[in-house]
Amino acid sequence: MKAGKIILFVIAGFALIFSILFFLSVGQTGNTSSIITAIGLAAVGFLFIFFATRMDKAGESTQNVTVNIDLPGEVGMDTIKCESCGGVLTAKDIKLVAGAPMVTCPFCSTTYQLSEEPKW
């Protein structure tokens, strides 16, 4: 939790506790100003709770990352087969993990790192 959110919840808790105390004092003193104070403190407490719960949603932002792979020269696409079970792997089975292309076999769930071997 963020510090501002915690502070708002603590202030709201104190406001609600004091509003309950002012409501309880009305029966003993009969003072109408205690009722107004209790209602005001309850309203402030609930407003602080409302703003504290909305605080995270205002700061949220989603970030989309697009990775374009630029391959040098002409690239011929051969069929890639799983080394473990021999199943055919497709382009949707390849994902970029920590900067390295990884392929996961959909048949046996084996994971490989793709590496470019020299042509010579």
Side-chain angles (χ1 to χ4, degrees), residues 9-10 13 15 18 30 32 39 56 61-62 68 87 89 91 100 111 119-120:
F9 276 124
V10 169
F18 280 114
T32 58
I39 292 172
D56 280 346
S61 64
T62 57
N68 293 327
L89 303 172
T111 303
K119 302 283 182 188
W120 61 83

Side-chain angles (χ1 to χ4, degrees), residues 64-68:
N64 294 330
V65 177
T66 303
V67 177
N68 293 327

Side-chain angles (χ1 to χ4, degrees), residues 72-87:
E74 293 183 26
V75 177
M77 190 74 175
D78 291 336
T79 304
I80 303 173
K81 292 188 178 186
C82 177
E83 294 176 9
S84 195
C85 69

Side-chain angles (χ1 to χ4, degrees), residues 7-19:
I7 291 171
L8 283 178
F9 276 124
V10 169
I11 292 172
F14 280 124
L16 290 175
I17 288 172
F18 280 114
S19 78

